[in-house]
């Protein structure tokens, strides 16, 4: 854990997750890894607003937000060239082709793999 | 009458003989001239002025078929004469007699000479009077031209013309035939006309491979029944030869067949196989009442007719199959289930059946019928697949067999299954013709199923993630493992209970009364006096129900551990509603328990109530730790209850 603690030092992670209990656990985990959590946002509207307003290095997105799909936000982040990954119960086959190459982890997630995936997308700052 | 006139009138006669001068008695009498006449292949004879035979050459005797008698026979070397129409012609009326009587040449009158053996020879005579040196009438010379060869040639030409006409009529009728009966009737007429037989029939193999009469001319029913099924060939024979029987009695056919044929008054017959697509499909028969020699020409003609008939039968069968399949297709296209398309590749023009316009949800004017316009109608998601398949079909003749998503101009998506064949001019593809079927409903069902599977996966995994989070909350800050385990198990049971309720309602929603009852029932005293649950019927959606269920679980366990449910006098009242048009409120009120002390730290219960309800239902939760009992007021905005439905 000591190792994980600094893996995401200073990385601003934008989180959209609609399940409160899941989001608090995720928030705790990311903070412990040294990340700064932007969010969590729990629906598409607040997610879009948050993404427009806040600065962040990487986004971790749930796919199904109480029946609404995250795709418009994912499209926008891709258009802006911001790295993103999905954290979801969905498989690649359930999602549109254009997202097939993006990193994806299944819930419940393995913490080490989550942090690895985020670190690959947004390496911690040296400063 | 001057000599010049006679000279002139003799010219026609002179020419064939190559004579430069008019024949005179003296000239004819010269030995040289006799020699010439004797050796002439044409029949020549002379008479005196009375018509008595004075000279004939060997050719004349041959034509007459007898040895004429000089000085006795009169008018002619022949035995008997006839008019061309067959009436007898007295010898004294023959053209030679006329020429002698009237002292003039007679031309262009045809006669028939009968030989003593009965043979009749058509003859064109050239009787011409002649004169002696003093110009006196001396007799007549006659040249007889045998017309039989010419007549035979004429008849041959006529017969050939009539055969050709019969074949032409046959071909024409086959072309116009609209039924099998038309084909057989045309064939029977052609057989009788062209082959000059007395009777004819056509027989075809039936479905069981038995040869059956399908048409006949002049045959009795008895005969047809007697020979029905008889066949020199089997339906599988590939190279059958025609059979010609000049005389049935002299043939090697079976006695039964001989008997049937003879009883019908037939002496000669021919079996001509009909071949279609390389297989014998039937035969036609010609019958002659008398024994008959089938000439080479007749045989060739019979085979020609058989070939024509075979083509016609094959064509009819193909047409029938085509018509049947076209009718089926027409029915299907009219029902709107199937569309047909035909792409003229070099001309870049696509033809659609009306049904395809319907399937694409567009009107006729909206499609310019070009390939590019059609590609524009294919949904971008399908475009790569479709263009790739077309490319492979055109280049490599790969089967074209794809599911195409079309983006209709009415905004409606349609899925079509289409397959097609490529028609080529040599190597070059010139046409692509295909059929398309609407499979939208199947695709929608597939998509629906995929969605459900994805949704289920999402729910299961979210639930597991929630369980992980609950575990972390339960074990994180609690003093003992035992307490933590109990809390964790209780929370899992609450979560499972809500899921059971959702499953029972087919994930449609759970009534609030049920959620409350599920948490409080374990603490209910026998008469139920410690609980009061009241409120209008309202149901919550799956996600709201899960959070509410867990919140109610935390409230109930808290009451059972520290609050009103720890004493006999304690009471819990849960009331809800939207009194006076205000926000929807759920009030949890405890009373009669031990005096309440506000907790020192915020546990999982408070986290869930104060933050989870706020996050997941946008609710506001007020916890009031009054000494007489805890009051928890959950206020839900109207938008959160919009998804909730009034219900039991």
């Amino acid at each position: 854990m000591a190792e994980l603690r600094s893996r995401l030092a200073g990385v601003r992670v934008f989180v959209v997750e609609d399940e409160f209990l899941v989001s608090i656990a995720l928030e705790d985990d990311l903070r412990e890894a040294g990340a700064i959590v932007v969010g969590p946002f729990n629906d598409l509207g607040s997610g879009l607003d948050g993404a427009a307003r806040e600065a962040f290095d990487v986004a971790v997105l749930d796919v199904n937000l109480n029946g609404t799909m995250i795709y418009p936000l994912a499209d926008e982040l891709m258009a802006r060239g911001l790295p993103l990954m999905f954290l979801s119960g969905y498989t690649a086959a359930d999602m549109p082709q254009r997202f097939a190459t993006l990193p994806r982890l299944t819930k419940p997630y393995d913490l080490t793999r989550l942090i690895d995936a985020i670190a690959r997308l947004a390496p911690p700052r040296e400063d | 009458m001057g000599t010049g006139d006679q000279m002139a009138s003799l010219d026609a006669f002179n020419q064939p003989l190559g004579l430069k001068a008019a024949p005179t008695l003296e000239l004819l009498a010269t030995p040289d001239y006799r020699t010439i006449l004797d050796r002439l292949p044409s029949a020549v004879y002379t008479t005196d002025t009375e018509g008595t035979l004075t000279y004939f050459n060997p050719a004349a005797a041959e034509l007459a078929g007898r040895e004429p008698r000089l000085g006795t026979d009169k008018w002619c070397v022949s035995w008997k004469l006839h008019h061309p129409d067959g009436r007898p012609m007295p010898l004294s009326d023959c053209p030679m007699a006329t020429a002698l009587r009237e002292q003039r040449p007679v031309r262009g009158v045809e006669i028939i000479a009968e030989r003593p053996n009965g043979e009749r020879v058509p003859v064109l005579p050239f009787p011409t009077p002649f004169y002696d040196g003093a110009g006196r009438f001396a007799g007549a010379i006659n040249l007889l031209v045998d017309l039989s060869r010419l007549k035979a040639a004429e008849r041959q030409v006529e017969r050939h013309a009539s055969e050709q006409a019969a074949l032409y009529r046959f071909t024409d009728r086959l072309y116009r035939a609209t039924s099998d009966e038309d084909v057989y009737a045309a064939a029977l007429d052609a057989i009788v006309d062209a082959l000059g037989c007395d009777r004819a029939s056509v027989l075809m193999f039936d479905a069981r491979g038995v040869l059956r009469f399908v048409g006949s001319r002049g045959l009795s029913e008895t005969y047809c029944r007697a020979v029905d099924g008889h066949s020199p060939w089997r339906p599988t024979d590939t190279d059958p030869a025609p059979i010609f029987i000049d005389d049935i009695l002299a043939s090697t056919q079976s006695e039964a067949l001989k008997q049937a044929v003879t009883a019908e008054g037939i002496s000669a017959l021919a079996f001509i196989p009909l071949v279609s697509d390389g297989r014998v499909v039937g035969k036609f028969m010609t019958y002659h009442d008398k024994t008959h020699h089938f000439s080479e020409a007749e045989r060739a003609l019979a085979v020609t007719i058989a070939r024509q008939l075979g083509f016609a039968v094959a064509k009819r069968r193909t047409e029938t199959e085509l018509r049947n399949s076209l009718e089926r297709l027409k029915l299907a296209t009219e029902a709107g289930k199937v569309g047909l398309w035909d792409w003229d590749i070099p001309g870049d023009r696509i033809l659609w059946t009306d049904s395809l316009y319907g399937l694409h949800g567009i009107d006729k004017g909206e499609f310019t019928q070009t390939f590019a316009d059609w590609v524009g109608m294919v949904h971008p998601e399908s475009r790569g697949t479709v263009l790739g398949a077309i490319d492979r079909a055109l280049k490599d003749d790969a089967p074209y067999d794809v599911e195409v998503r079309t983006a209709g101009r009415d905004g409606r998506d349609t899925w079509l299954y289409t397959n097609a064949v490529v028609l080529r001019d040599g190597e070059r593809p010139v046409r692509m013709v295909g059929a398309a079927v609407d499979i939208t409903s199947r695709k929608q069902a597939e998509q629906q199923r995929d969605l459900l599977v994805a949704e289920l996966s999402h729910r299961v995994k979210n639930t597991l993630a929630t369980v992980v989070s609950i575990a972390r909350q339960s074990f994180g800050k609690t003093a003992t493992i035992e307490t933590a385990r109990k809390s964790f198990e209780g929370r899992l049971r609450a979560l499972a209970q809500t899921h059971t309720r959702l499953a029972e309602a087919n994930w449609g929603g759970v009534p609030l009364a049920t959620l409350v009852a599920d948490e409080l029932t374990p603490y209910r005293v026998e008469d139920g006096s410690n609980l009061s649950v009241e409120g209008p019927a309202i149901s919550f959606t799956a996600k709201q129900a899960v959070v509410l269920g867990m919140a109610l679980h935390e409230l109930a366990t808290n009451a059972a551990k520290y609050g009103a449910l720890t004493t006999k006098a304690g009471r819990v009242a849960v009331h809800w509603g939207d009194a006076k048009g205000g926000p929807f409120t759920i009030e949890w009120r405890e009373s009669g328990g031990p005096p309440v002390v506000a907790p020192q730290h915020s546990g999982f219960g408070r986290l869930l109530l104060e933050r989870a309800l706020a996050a997941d239902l946008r609710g506001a939760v007020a916890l009031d730790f009054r000494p007489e009992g805890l009051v928890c007021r959950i206020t839900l905005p109207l938008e959160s209850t919009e998804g909730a439905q009034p219900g039991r």
Side-chain angles (χ1 to χ4, degrees), chain A residues 80-98:
Chain A
R80 285 166 60 184
L82 286 167
L84 70 145
M85 64 171 293
F86 295 108
L87 185 59
S88 155
Y90 280 75
T91 63
D94 299 328
M95 292 171 52
Q97 193 74 27
R98 61 187 187 275

Side-chain angles (χ1 to χ4, degrees), chain B residues 394-470:
Chain B
L394 296 184
K395 276 191 188 144
D396 313 330
D397 228 358
Y400 182 71
D401 202 322
V402 287
E403 294 183 351
V404 188
R405 183 176 176 189
T406 64
R409 295 198 176 144
D410 60 356
R412 199 182 46 161
D413 266 6
T414 304
W415 279 91
L416 298 176
Y417 166 74
T418 179
N419 57 12
V421 287
V422 176
L423 306 178
R424 289 169 197 280
D425 176 11
E427 287 291 301
R428 193 173 69 114
V430 288
R431 269 174 80 192
M432 200 165 168
V433 184
V437 194
D438 189 344
I439 53 161
T440 308
S441 53
R442 198 193 83 202
K443 274 283 168 188
Q444 280 171 347
E446 279 174 14
Q447 283 165 352
Q448 189 69 24
R449 189 200 59 205
D450 291 349
L451 259 176
L452 283 175
V453 169
E455 174 74 13
L456 182 66
S457 157
H458 157 75
R459 280 183 185 169
V460 166
K461 287 167 180 171
N462 257 348
T463 304
L464 289 175
T466 305
V467 169
V468 168
S469 183
I470 291 171

Side-chain angles (χ1 to χ4, degrees), chain B residues 213-235:
Chain B
F213 281 92
V214 293
S216 66
R217 288 286 151 81
L219 293 176
S220 74
E221 267 187 50
T222 317
Y223 175 76
C224 289
R225 262 201 307 278
V227 300
D228 196 34
H230 169 269
S231 169
W233 313 285
R234 282 162 313 187

Side-chain angles (χ1 to χ4, degrees), chain B residues 155-170 190 193-196 295 297-302 304-305:
Chain B
R155 270 199 308 277
Q156 182 93 26
V157 168
E158 266 171 30
R159 206 185 69 215
H160 195 66
S162 129
E163 283 169 9
Q164 291 301 315
L167 279 177
Y168 173 78
R169 280 195 305 276
F170 181 41
D193 288 355
L195 294 175
S295 68
E298 257 178 279
R299 289 169 190 236
L301 194 57
T304 303
I305 292 173

Side-chain angles (χ1 to χ4, degrees), chain A residues 17-22 24-25 27-29 42-43 64 66 89-90 94 106-108, chain B residues 454-455 457-458 461-462 464-466 469 472-473 543 550 604 607 611-612 615-616 618:
Chain A
E17 169 58 63
D18 71 327
E19 296 279 342
F20 172 73
L21 288 175
V22 178
I24 56 168
E27 216 179 328
D28 286 352
D29 287 338
N42 69 350
D43 62 19
N64 183 329
N66 197 21
Y90 280 75
D94 299 328
T106 314
K107 290 194 275 190
Chain B
E455 174 74 13
S457 157
H458 157 75
K461 287 167 180 171
N462 257 348
L464 289 175
T466 305
S469 183
R472 195 183 295 187
Q473 298 300 331
K543 188 174 171 182
M550 286 197 293
F604 180 61
L607 177 82
R611 289 185 56 195
D616 292 348
R618 301 183 190 289

Side-chain angles (χ1 to χ4, degrees), chain B residues 276-350:
Chain B
S276 170
D277 288 336
R279 289 284 164 84
V280 57
V281 292
K283 65 172 178 177
F284 78 75
M285 304 279 305
T286 68
Y287 311 92
H288 292 263
D289 296 348
K290 292 180 184 151
T291 58
H292 179 82
H293 174 65
F294 291 94
S295 68
E296 278 308 314
E298 257 178 279
R299 289 169 190 236
L301 194 57
V303 170
T304 303
I305 292 173
R307 200 158 40 223
Q308 287 278 67
L309 184 53
F311 284 147
V313 167
K315 180 166 159 270
R316 285 283 313 156
R317 288 183 179 175
T318 313
E319 279 174 356
T320 306
E321 279 165 23
L322 193 65
R323 199 173 49 246
N324 288 345
S325 58
L326 278 178
E327 271 165 13
R328 279 196 297 274
L329 272 177
K330 192 159 170 278
L331 279 176
T333 59
E334 276 168 4
K337 290 172 198 147
V338 174
L340 300 178
W341 51 270
D342 187 340
W343 176 29
D344 166 9
I345 299 169
D348 190 18
R349 190 172 148 82
I350 300 173

